Amino acid sequence: MPSIYLLAFWLLLIGAWAVGWQAGDRHDRRAIAAIVVAAVLSAVSYSFLGTTAALLAVSVIDVALLIAIGRYALVSDRYWPLWFAGFHAVSLFFTLCALAIQNEWQMIPWRLSGFWSLPALFAMTIGLLIDRRAGVVNRIGAKS
């Protein structure tokens, strides 16, 4: 991924983590911690594994993150997990496309995958701020 995207991603992730930690409740913090852990594990995979092995490892990490955030989106009354899960699903789709292409063209979907992580982080940060401003209380598992 180009350096400007990496810099933007890590700065946005740190900012989203800081805002989320202040604006979110304990369930939001768990989801944000899962996002940060997935990002760190993906960075470690890209650093120490070959291209195909890194893509495979990141695909597994991304599927696990999508399941975790998707599960949270289903039981939460907040909208940011749903938006994050949607953007992350698009990112995962492009990661799987990059994994399926085994030549020099695989960089195109790989970079598209990285691009879609930025709107996901924006959705999380803005959603948490809007929820906090509106005074939404998160009711995990509450029956409607």
Side-chain angles (χ1 to χ4, degrees):
M1 188 181 314
S3 299
I4 190 73
Y5 286 127
L6 284 173
L7 179 63
F9 172 78
W10 286 107
L11 288 176
L12 188 57
L13 181 66
I14 291 168
W17 173 74
V19 167
W21 214 257
Q22 291 297 319
D25 62 6
R26 68 183 175 107
H27 301 293
D28 292 327
R29 290 183 187 125
R30 285 183 192 165
I32 293 164
I35 294 166
V36 171
V37 167
V40 170
L41 288 175
S42 295
V44 168
S45 297
Y46 284 133
S47 298
F48 295 112
L49 300 175
T51 304
T52 305
L55 279 172
L56 185 59
V58 169
S59 296
V60 170
I61 293 166
D62 283 351
V63 166
L65 180 62
L66 184 61
I67 290 169
I69 297 296
R71 182 174 172 261
Y72 179 56
L74 291 174
V75 297
S76 175
D77 62 349
R78 299 192 182 206
Y79 290 110
W80 78 262
L82 184 61
W83 280 93
F84 185 91
F87 285 126
H88 189 66
V90 173
S91 177
L92 178 61
F93 170 75
F94 283 115
T95 301
L96 295 174
C97 288
L99 190 60
I101 301 171
Q102 295 297 324
N103 58 22
E104 65 275 356
W105 291 99
Q106 108 185 131
M107 290 307 291
I108 295 170
W110 195 2
R111 288 188 177 167
L112 285 170
S113 171
F115 168 79
W116 280 101
S117 62
L118 298 178
L121 290 174
F122 275 123
M124 179 186 77
T125 306
I126 293 168
L128 280 166
L129 290 174
I130 290 170
D131 286 344
R132 179 166 181 151
R133 185 172 185 188
V136 174
V137 177
N138 200 350
R139 297 179 306 266
I140 299 296
K143 304 268 189 247
S144 296

